[in-house]
Amino acid sequence: MSISILIPTLNEENFISDCLESLLVSLKDFDRYEIIFIDGGSNDDTIKIINSYLKKNLKIKLLHNPKKTAPAALNLGLKEAKFDIIMRCDAHAIYPNNYIKNNFDLLIKSDEKTMNVGGYIHTASKKNTLISNTISLVLSSSFG
């Protein structure tokens, strides 16, 4: 099994380690994978944190996105990706242990018309404020 994971980033120092650690656990069943971060010019410690992982894992890559937007980042990542199955992940998310494999298996088992699969999203806030909790509730609902 092989997969390319694209992650647009911009000032994600508070989230990037948790995200990456959750992805690495999820990728334990994959023989071949790559995680491609496409950074839009972070001015916090996002790049420093990603570089610390790059030193330990050659399957992690970092690209620079001069256009700064997520669509531009994804286009750069798509050009760089070396595997046929590509997953887009968000840098501020934590993924369940079986998230990647479940989505991968669903895509493989689907017919040739299926181009995209995804899972249920549960939005949780790291802060316990009225605004962050309200945003979490809305994003986790069918309305959101």
Side-chain angles (χ1 to χ4, degrees):
M1 296 189 300
S2 57
I3 191 167
S4 295
I5 298 175
L6 308 181
I7 308 173
T9 59
L10 179 62
N11 296 328
E12 299 287 356
E13 71 179 359
N14 294 326
F15 309 101
I16 199 71
S17 290
D18 290 340
C19 171
L20 187 49
E21 290 293 334
S22 73
L23 290 172
L24 291 170
V25 169
S26 296
L27 287 163
K28 67 184 181 311
D29 296 323
F30 286 79
D31 302 324
R32 300 181 324 144
Y33 69 86
E34 62 183 350
I35 300 172
I36 304 172
F37 290 98
I38 312 102
D39 189 73
S42 292
N43 57 14
D44 63 0
D45 283 339
T46 299
I47 300 295
K48 181 179 176 182
I49 294 166
I50 293 170
N51 280 330
S52 71
Y53 282 92
L54 288 173
K55 294 174 185 173
K56 298 181 251 178
N57 188 330
L58 298 175
K59 296 178 181 182
I60 299 171
K61 300 175 183 176
L62 174 62
L63 303 177
H64 298 283
N65 172 16
K67 293 185 178 178
K68 299 186 183 290
T69 66
L74 294 172
N75 286 333
L76 288 170
L78 287 170
K79 289 177 186 173
E80 181 74 19
K82 63 182 177 182
F83 300 118
D84 291 337
I85 295 182
I86 298 170
M87 177 178 276
R88 184 235 204 256
C89 290
D90 291 312
H92 52 271
I94 298 172
Y95 297 90
N97 294 350
N98 57 357
Y99 183 81
I100 295 173
K101 180 146 179 16
N102 286 351
N103 281 284
F104 182 93
D105 290 346
L106 182 60
L107 184 62
I108 295 300
K109 292 175 186 174
S110 299
D111 64 32
E112 67 278 353
K113 294 178 186 175
T114 303
M115 302 292 289
N116 186 15
V117 297
Y120 172 76
I121 297 172
H122 171 72
T123 305
S125 175
K126 284 192 169 186
K127 298 178 182 177
N128 190 17
T129 67
L130 178 62
I131 291 174
S132 62
N133 289 334
T134 302
I135 291 169
S136 295
L137 286 171
V138 170
L139 290 176
S140 293
S141 74
S142 57
F143 174 75

